[in-house]
Amino acid sequence: MRLLYTDTFNFRQFFDERLPPYAILSHTWGDEEATFQELQEDATTALLKSTKNRWANEDAGHHDRTVKEGYLKIIGCALQAEKDGFEYIWCDTCCIDKTNSAELSEAINSMYSWYKDRLCYAYLADVITADHLTSCRWFTRGWTLQELIAPSSVVFYTRYWKVIGTRSNFKDIIAERTGIDKEVLDGEDPLLSSVAKRMSWASQRKTTRVEDIAYCLMGLFGVNMPLIYGEKHKAFLRLQTEIMKDSEDHSLFAWKTPSTLSEAKYCGLLARSPASFAGSRNISPLFSPATLEPPYSITSRGVSISLTLSIVYDLSQRYINVFFASLSCHDMTDARGPLGIFLVCTSENCYRRCYPDKVVPGAVLRGRTGHRELRHIYVTQAEAMPKTKAIPARQFYVDELPKELTQYGFTLHVVPNTPIATWDHEKRLIFSFGGLAASIYVGRIDGEGKVLHVGVDKKLCMQCVFDDASDTIVKSLNNLPSQRLDKGTQLAQTLLAYRSTGSRIPNSLLFRDKRQQWDEWVDHSSGNITACIRFNDKTNIERTDPKFYQKKTKEVWKKSEIKVYRFIEERTIEGRRVFVIRFSNQYAGSINYIKVTST
């Protein structure tokens, strides 16, 4: 550490084990700051000494416009230090050789410890009287935060080095202005405060260089890291990574962006800047056997962490596969329990944060989420957010019905779950973005048939189920207002809306089923995602006479002998998982299948 003599303005190098008493100058940088190289020159030290002597003799040296502003603040600091009995002072402008990158890095990493338990003179260049204390620029800069907290005592001075008062004198208004607890201003170790609270202290502060908003906080969190100017916002991400190595405080993740910035590129588990913690002052960690989660770490896939997840049903469809992740922290002013954030599943065990403008207690989602499950996941720090109009992640091929079925009046209707899925009739492809993809009706146009739901469950496994509600609802389809569609399509649309969004079925249908939502309904199995749906028929009827089939069709409808079995048989064929849905046409003596296979 390099200190400056108060009488000669010469430097002396010290090592930590034998540091003498010294005072610190805290200030905001201007355009005329003194440098280490300038104070190496004899002419500069001579100017400083002569100006100091005139100032000491009440010759108003601090009004001398022929002396650089940066020199005047050093002279004022030296004079005050001498009065207080100090032989040395330290100032960041001239006591660090900033042309030496190694020295600069060491100094910034050591700065908090250099300030700790020392006397600090806070020189407020834009303050004339105490009335403007907390409105001055000093309270808006990043580097002055540690200079406010770390010293044992802070004394504020006006532009003309007139004393205003101490940190203790003004702790009430300083606490209100900065959000820093009074106990911390009285000397309590800031490491006892939550990560989110300490971040909130810096949320309104700025630095000239983007990277410095991270570097100026290293001491406040007790971490060290190399300086890499040019990395921009990555510096703050590195700071959070270093914090994670020594802390299991989930409040690090309890940040949010303003709603106007909710489309920000950085939507991982880590914030882009301290500004995201502006509303996190009252967030505190929950450390107890019931809430403490396993440790987390940074990997090439993102943050590796175990969180309690529950799927969310009724948010807007801006994102698909949204989960509520409970954090082991809470808002001390809110009695509704632990807080949580929203994550969107992008692939197996991989997530990104969505709705970054929301940090809410889990209680507000009661009744709108699925069962809670502790999962080990990876949360990527990616710039791009998945949206409903992104490239489809799943495709279902739906083959046409063979003539052996259509000749008896069978019809097929695919109803996609828009906007998260689309149906290309020409290519016979359902493009899905997750969840319930589509409802497929197979049966007669008057509604005597079945609805088959296909989609992906919350574990990203392909699923295929028949809806048993068909039998009840079809009896009331005539009461539906729209008659433009055939009853089979209306049936599929009704059940699709009911299963995907929980929309109410018309009262006339008198249908009561507690399994209202797709993700509650299908929560089992494992396998791949892309599926192929084929309709095959083994029939002994070979005649092609249209009149023959027309006659047989009428007889079949009359006897109501075309049925769809309610069970789905699972098989493994050539290493693929196959769902086989059996159709029975007793009159024609044939067995028909729908095959849904994973590829």
Side-chain angles (χ1 to χ4, degrees):
M1 184 182 190
R2 186 180 291 111
L3 296 177
L4 191 67
Y5 279 105
T6 58
D7 56 350
T8 64
F9 294 101
N10 292 324
F11 293 112
R12 182 176 176 183
Q13 191 80 25
F14 290 92
F15 296 95
D16 292 343
E17 62 269 17
R18 56 186 185 90
L19 283 175
Y22 59 90
I24 299 167
L25 173 63
S26 174
H27 65 108
T28 55
W29 281 51
D31 297 329
E32 298 181 329
E33 298 300 340
T35 66
F36 170 72
Q37 285 72 25
E38 288 178 345
L39 266 71
Q40 293 285 81
E41 299 175 2
D42 293 338
T44 302
T45 57
L47 175 63
L48 292 174
K49 286 188 287 186
S50 63
T51 306
K52 176 190 168 189
N53 291 333
R54 288 191 292 112
W55 194 338
N57 294 327
E58 298 184 356
D59 195 19
H62 52 279
H63 291 289
D64 191 345
R65 294 298 116 197
T66 64
V67 180
K68 287 199 333 180
E69 181 69 28
Y71 293 168
L72 291 177
K73 65 176 69 173
I74 293 175
I75 295 170
C77 179
L79 279 171
Q80 187 60 49
E82 284 185 338
K83 292 179 183 178
D84 294 333
F86 291 99
E87 187 179 1
Y88 300 97
I89 61 172
W90 187 88
C91 178
D92 57 357
T93 58
C94 61
C95 291
I96 304 173
D97 182 3
K98 298 177 183 60
T99 63
N100 186 326
S101 59
E103 180 179 329
L104 177 63
S105 180
E106 180 184 359
I108 291 179
N109 275 273
S110 305
M111 216 170 268
Y112 191 89
S113 64
W114 291 349
Y115 295 153
K116 191 171 178 61
D117 299 327
R118 302 291 177 173
L119 173 62
C120 177
Y121 303 136
Y123 174 70
L124 311 180
D126 53 348
V127 172
I128 306 299
T129 64
D131 297 338
H132 303 93
L133 175 64
T134 57
S135 62
C136 69
R137 184 169 176 259
W138 191 86
F139 283 96
T140 68
R141 307 307 295 170
W143 289 106
T144 57
L145 176 60
Q146 60 183 353
E147 296 162 10
L148 173 63
I149 294 174
S152 58
S153 178
V154 179
V155 184
F156 297 99
Y157 292 89
T158 68
R159 175 180 180 83
Y160 302 116
W161 281 96
K162 300 297 182 181
V163 66
I164 299 174
T166 66
R167 181 182 63 193
S168 298
N169 298 147
F170 296 104
K171 68 178 179 181
D172 290 339
I173 62 173
I174 292 176
E176 182 180 356
R177 170 66 176 81
T178 63
I180 302 173
D181 295 343
K182 296 178 185 178
E183 294 79 6
V184 175
L185 296 175
D186 278 336
E188 181 181 274
D189 189 347
L191 293 177
L192 298 176
S193 300
S194 71
V195 171
K197 177 178 288 189
R198 280 175 280 166
M199 287 290 188
S200 73
W201 299 341
S203 61
Q204 305 297 325
R205 293 177 178 261
K206 305 295 182 183
T207 55
T208 302
R209 302 196 67 166
V210 175
E211 299 87 349
D212 283 341
I213 198 62
Y215 302 154
C216 72
L217 297 177
M218 290 192 294
L220 199 58
F221 290 96
V223 301
N224 298 99
M225 63 184 193
L227 276 57
I228 309 175
Y229 283 105
E231 64 176 336
K232 302 299 182 182
H233 294 286
K234 290 182 179 180
F236 189 67
L237 297 179
R238 283 202 299 126
L239 174 68
Q240 295 170 88
T241 300
E242 293 298 321
I243 294 172
M244 289 172 57
K245 293 179 181 179
D246 296 324
S247 171
E248 295 182 357
D249 185 353
H250 277 196
S251 70
L252 175 63
F253 313 127
W255 54 269
K256 58 183 178 180
T257 60
S259 57
T260 55
L261 300 177
S262 60
E263 295 288 345
K265 291 183 178 181
Y266 284 90
C267 291
L269 204 55
L270 305 180
R272 195 181 188 197
S273 79
S276 298
F277 291 88
S280 303
R281 176 184 177 183
N282 295 313
I283 296 179
S284 178
L286 290 170
F287 293 128
S288 70
T291 58
L292 187 61
E293 309 289 2
Y296 42 80
S297 61
I298 289 289
T299 70
S300 59
R301 299 178 65 183
V303 179
S304 173
I305 188 171
S306 293
L307 291 173
T308 300
L309 303 182
S310 53
I311 194 162
V312 181
Y313 295 128
D314 58 344
L315 287 177
S316 68
Q317 295 191 13
R318 192 168 105 208
Y319 305 103
I320 306 304
N321 293 332
V322 174
F323 293 80
F324 180 74
S326 297
L327 302 176
S328 294
C329 61
H330 70 124
D331 188 330
M332 294 184 293
T333 64
D334 192 329
R336 290 178 294 177
L339 298 172
I341 57 177
F342 296 98
L343 302 178
V344 57
C345 184
T346 57
S347 61
E348 186 174 2
N349 290 332
C350 290
Y351 295 76
R352 296 175 186 165
R353 183 166 177 187
C354 61
Y355 303 105
D357 57 326
K358 301 181 187 298
V359 177
V360 299
V364 304
L365 297 174
R366 186 172 292 123
R368 293 183 284 171
T369 59
H371 74 281
R372 292 160 52 86
E373 179 181 357
L374 180 64
R375 299 189 197 177
H376 185 80
I377 62 174
Y378 297 92
V379 185
T380 57
Q381 192 69 27
E383 296 187 9
M385 289 298 296
K387 301 202 179 162
T388 56
K389 296 183 179 180
I391 299 175
R394 299 101 172 99
Q395 297 183 26
F396 298 87
Y397 176 76
V398 183
D399 200 1
E400 294 182 351
L401 286 177
K403 66 177 182 179
E404 288 82 5
L405 290 177
T406 58
Q407 67 189 5
Y408 289 108
F410 263 78
T411 183
L412 168 72
H413 294 286
V414 177
V415 180
N417 186 15
T418 56
I420 66 173
T422 59
W423 163 239
D424 189 325
H425 180 75
E426 293 183 0
K427 296 181 179 179
R428 310 295 300 179
L429 287 176
I430 299 172
F431 295 91
S432 172
F433 303 96
L436 175 55
S439 296
I440 304 173
Y441 173 78
V442 180
R444 302 189 330 209
I445 61 174
D446 63 355
E448 287 292 339
K450 294 288 184 180
V451 173
L452 177 70
H453 297 305
V454 295
V456 179
D457 66 15
K458 63 184 179 182
K459 295 183 179 179
L460 302 183
C461 299
M462 180 268 294
Q463 293 287 358
C464 171
V465 293
F466 269 121
D467 199 322
D468 292 338
S470 306
D471 297 335
T472 304
I473 294 180
V474 71
K475 297 177 182 179
S476 302
L477 281 175
N478 290 330
N479 295 324
L480 293 176
S482 175
Q483 300 297 327
R484 291 179 295 175
L485 301 174
D486 61 75
K487 297 300 184 291
T489 302
Q490 292 185 62
L491 173 62
Q493 288 181 338
T494 302
L495 286 176
L496 176 68
Y498 185 58
R499 295 300 183 191
S500 61
T501 65
S503 300
R504 295 184 58 189
I505 292 179
N507 294 333
S508 61
L509 300 180
L510 300 177
F511 173 61
R512 296 176 182 177
D513 189 336
K514 295 181 180 179
R515 300 174 301 176
Q516 292 188 3
Q517 302 232 298
W518 169 259
D519 293 295
E520 286 180 305
W521 199 5
V522 289
D523 185 21
H524 63 280
S525 80
S526 61
N528 295 323
I529 295 173
T530 304
C532 176
I533 305 171
R534 295 186 180 276
F535 302 87
N536 297 311
D537 174 44
K538 296 180 180 179
T539 178
N540 296 321
I541 299 177
E542 298 180 355
R543 294 185 59 176
T544 58
D545 183 0
K547 293 183 179 180
F548 171 83
Y549 287 116
Q550 184 177 6
K551 179 181 178 181
K552 297 301 180 184
T553 299
K554 291 180 180 179
E555 292 178 2
V556 169
W557 289 156
K558 184 177 181 180
K559 295 181 180 180
S560 299
E561 290 180 342
I562 290 186
K563 298 179 180 179
V564 179
Y565 278 68
R566 298 188 181 195
F567 66 89
I568 298 176
E569 180 182 352
E570 295 186 24
R571 301 178 183 177
T572 300
I573 301 176
E574 297 180 353
R576 296 182 179 182
R577 188 159 176 250
V578 179
F579 294 96
V580 179
I581 302 94
R582 180 171 295 184
F583 286 75
S584 174
N585 181 341
Q586 297 177 9
Y587 185 87
S590 64
I591 299 296
N592 312 303
Y593 298 96
I594 299 178
K595 291 185 179 180
V596 183
T597 63
S598 60
T599 58

